[in-house]
Amino acid sequence: MAGIPIKIRGLEKRFAANRVLRGVDLDIPAGKVTVLMGANGAGKSTLVKIICGLYEADAGEVFLNDEPFAPNTPSAALQAGIVTVHQNINDGVVPDLDVASNLMLDWLANPKSAPLLNPRRIRKSAEEIAAKLDLNFDMNSMVSDLTLADRQLVAIARAMAHSPKMMILDEPTSSLSAAEAERLFRLVEKLRESGVAILYISHRMSDIRRVADRIVSMRDGTIVGKYETAPLDYEGAVNDMLGHTMTDVNITVQAPGEKVLELTDVKLKPESQPINLTAHRNEVIAITGLVGVGKTQLSEVLFGQMAAAGGKVQLNGKPYAPNSARDAINQGVFLCAKDRGTNGVVQDFDINRNITLPFLSSLSSFGFVRRNAEYKITNAAIDKLGIVCQGANDEIGTLSGGNQQKVMVGRWLSHECDVLILDEPFQGVDIAARRDIGTKLRETAKDRATIVLVAELDEALEIADRILVMAEFTIVGEHKNEHVDVDLILEQVSGAAAAKDQQKQKEGAAR
């Protein structure tokens, strides 16, 4: 395979009055990783959905190996060798099936396979697919029992079974640990070497620097920049994407107010080390660490979704042990949960109802929702966070991923609280939207304690007054966000600092 398998010429797409694609011209060459960058609403997702058969273009053409290509279903695109791994992990797996069935799902769905169904053959074929990614899952495990990161790997492995001509990866590392991401990068390198055309959509500069052969910047529905000469101009690509020069974020650390939340010897697991943490009003705390170190479990303890294995929590000086999410909300603790597709947005609701859903009881009189009050809150959230939409009654599914994330953050900023916890609020969000959300969180932080859980260190540095590092289900480092020793934080994130401390203790004991 060589040359340019995918050529896009003059592609147009409109939704009502919104012109999403405006004459897109793009080549995606074989054996290269083309990174597509664009702010939320730039048209990236619409472009991908046309290529993979979810949308029909209004004008223009897509060519596959110089032949007109207009798949009318994702299945048709798949059969032609166009494989997409979507950002929403559950679009690529069936949680109620086991791993083997998920890996062989497209084969099982083919009517021609029915006479050949053999459990042993299915399992063996699934194991061969998994081996290509060095996956060692129990093939009988239910996908619903896997972690979010493992589900992502199953979705990618399933896609690999098709020997693709072109693979589209949409924010593929957003739920992966560093080790899992590195495994994915090695796979991308193999695909590149075998001549597959790869379209890689990401907002993470660490990903882009790791995999990109070329960068294409998209803005307002059209291609505005192409970078193909080494060394790639990453800053230029970002500036093209945004339409202006991106300046560094300068944090002025705020003086903390009164103590709101206090954790004393809290254990997330019986065998883990205790967590001691105090959060104050007018303070934004970022807790960073690798995927799977306990950040989400900490949020679940504070939001009444999981019981701690030990220790105590106080809220405003009083014992705090919520027995449900509703109980936590009633006591003034809000959580913007990780993975908006599963835990956040309600796809059947519009923007208005998605924002006001947790607070409808306070907006109701005699069982009837006060519509004026409801829309006042929603419209304020749209203005406050710059949500790109036609209006409050737009269906949530019509928004870009970044604007859906703004809706989720806007939901929890729409009412006052004592503690606001946000678990990966920048997941799948571009740099500009990330800055918008971060700025609004800091502007509104005066009367509450804000705790932001992030895996990316640059996200922590952009938003926090104080940065805590988590590893092995406990806090292993604390840093005021002034003159930060980034190398030390990275050592603590990886566990290297803890190992050094243990070695020093051993050496001291020996002396």
Side-chain angles (χ1 to χ4, degrees):
M1 189 186 302
I4 303 173
I6 292 287
K7 297 178 182 178
I8 299 167
R9 296 292 181 267
L11 217 58
E12 299 268 350
K13 185 65 181 176
R14 184 188 296 270
F15 295 101
N18 188 15
R19 192 179 174 199
V20 181
L21 297 181
R22 305 166 180 261
V24 172
D25 293 317
L26 178 63
D27 291 342
I28 305 174
K32 291 183 180 293
V33 177
T34 299
V35 169
L36 181 62
M37 297 178 66
N40 294 304
K44 306 185 303 297
S45 295
T46 301
L47 176 62
V48 166
K49 287 175 180 177
I50 290 174
I51 296 172
C52 69
L54 282 168
Y55 289 164
E56 181 180 350
D58 295 331
E61 285 187 283
V62 178
F63 297 90
L64 175 61
N65 294 330
D66 294 324
E67 296 291 333
F69 178 64
N72 54 10
T73 64
S75 178
L78 194 63
Q79 293 302 316
I82 308 298
V83 175
T84 304
V85 178
H86 294 281
Q87 181 181 339
N88 185 349
I89 292 169
N90 286 332
D91 285 346
V93 295
V94 180
D96 293 334
L97 294 179
D98 60 23
V99 171
S101 298
N102 267 275
L103 294 179
M104 298 296 294
L105 191 60
D106 301 303
W107 184 79
L108 292 171
N110 188 339
K112 296 180 181 179
S113 303
L116 304 174
L117 292 181
N118 180 309
R120 287 187 178 180
R121 181 182 174 186
I122 291 170
R123 182 184 177 91
K124 182 179 179 181
S125 297
E127 287 173 345
E128 291 173 354
I129 293 170
K132 294 179 181 178
L133 265 178
D134 299 325
L135 301 182
N136 55 2
F137 296 131
D138 179 353
M139 291 294 141
N140 295 319
S141 295
M142 299 298 291
V143 167
S144 58
D145 293 333
L146 301 180
T147 64
L148 205 59
D150 285 345
R151 292 189 198 188
Q152 177 77 302
L153 292 176
V154 170
I156 293 169
R158 175 190 165 194
M160 287 306 304
H162 293 278
S163 301
K165 296 182 178 69
M166 173 184 174
M167 177 168 280
I168 303 170
L169 297 167
D170 189 357
E171 292 286 351
T173 64
S174 59
S175 301
L176 302 185
S177 68
E180 290 159 339
E182 185 58 34
R183 189 187 306 171
L184 171 68
F185 295 147
R186 289 197 296 269
L187 171 63
V188 169
E189 289 170 355
K190 290 179 182 178
L191 287 170
R192 175 199 284 148
E193 291 168 2
S194 65
V196 175
I198 301 167
L199 184 64
Y200 193 106
I201 301 172
S202 181
H203 301 119
R204 293 187 171 191
M205 290 309 300
S206 56
D207 282 19
I208 295 168
R209 291 177 187 276
R210 179 69 171 76
V211 302
D213 294 307
R214 56 199 295 264
I215 301 175
V216 175
S217 297
M218 194 171 184
R219 186 175 74 249
D220 296 332
T222 190
I223 303 301
V224 293
K226 296 178 183 178
Y227 297 86
E228 303 177 289
T229 304
L232 297 176
D233 184 357
Y234 303 106
E235 183 177 348
V238 172
N239 292 342
D240 279 343
M241 177 188 84
L242 298 174
H244 58 82
T245 300
M246 177 58 75
T247 57
D248 291 335
V249 172
N250 294 313
I251 293 295
T252 301
V253 175
Q254 300 298 305
E258 65 181 2
K259 181 168 60 179
V260 179
L261 183 72
E262 187 172 17
L263 281 67
T264 305
D265 294 334
V266 169
K267 288 191 172 186
L268 300 180
K269 290 184 172 184
E271 68 275 15
S272 64
Q273 293 297 309
I275 294 174
N276 291 283
L277 167 64
T278 302
H280 304 81
R281 296 191 195 279
N282 198 39
E283 179 182 38
V284 178
I285 298 172
I287 301 180
T288 190
L290 300 175
V291 174
V293 297
K295 300 189 300 296
T296 294
Q297 288 84 345
L298 176 61
S299 72
E300 291 174 346
V301 167
L302 296 177
F303 200 55
Q305 298 171 307
M306 166 182 158
K312 62 179 182 178
V313 182
Q314 287 192 311
L315 179 67
N316 294 320
K318 298 178 181 179
Y320 172 72
N323 54 31
S324 67
R326 174 52 57 189
D327 187 16
I329 292 171
N330 290 340
Q331 294 191 59
V333 177
F334 295 174
L335 170 65
C336 184
K338 184 178 182 179
D339 186 17
R340 62 177 175 268
T342 303
N343 302 316
V345 300
V346 181
Q347 291 294 341
D348 293 336
F349 287 177
D350 59 14
I351 296 172
N352 178 57
R353 189 48 54 89
N354 263 287
I355 286 177
T356 60
L357 184 61
F359 310 106
L360 287 179
S361 60
S362 66
L363 296 171
S364 303
S365 299
F366 305 105
F368 294 95
V369 176
R370 300 192 303 277
R371 292 295 186 188
N372 288 341
E374 187 181 19
Y375 279 100
K376 183 178 180 180
I377 288 171
T378 298
N379 288 326
I382 290 172
D383 292 339
K384 184 184 294 184
L385 284 157
I387 298 168
V388 179
C389 63
Q390 300 297 311
N393 292 123
D394 284 7
E395 294 298 316
I396 193 73
T398 65
L399 303 186
S400 67
N403 282 299
Q404 289 187 30
Q405 189 68 22
K406 286 185 177 182
V407 170
M408 291 300 93
V409 174
R411 169 192 289 173
W412 300 109
L413 290 181
S414 68
H415 285 66
E416 294 182 356
C417 65
D418 288 312
V419 180
L420 174 60
I421 307 160
L422 303 104
D423 192 356
E424 296 292 352
F426 310 120
Q427 192 174 64
V429 168
D430 68 68
I431 297 171
R434 186 172 90 195
R435 301 283 171 88
D436 289 345
I437 293 171
T439 297
K440 196 54 60 180
L441 288 174
R442 289 190 63 80
E443 286 178 353
T444 59
K446 182 178 178 181
D447 296 320
R448 65 167 189 266
T450 305
I451 301 174
V452 185
L453 311 174
V454 292
E456 294 285 311
L457 179 55
D458 59 340
E459 294 173 359
L461 292 168
E462 286 183 3
I463 193 172
D465 298 300
R466 187 157 49 109
I467 299 171
L468 305 182
V469 181
M470 232 178 148
E472 299 295 335
F473 296 89
T474 191
I475 303 296
V476 297
E478 179 174 337
H479 308 265
K480 188 176 181 180
N481 197 3
E482 292 178 339
H483 312 296
V484 174
D485 185 342
V486 173
D487 290 338
L488 176 57
I489 293 179
L490 293 174
E491 284 185 1
Q492 291 170 340
V493 165
S494 67
K500 286 182 179 179
D501 288 343
Q502 291 175 0
Q503 183 62 32
K504 287 180 180 177
Q505 292 173 5
K506 290 179 180 178
E507 292 172 355
R511 287 195 295 269

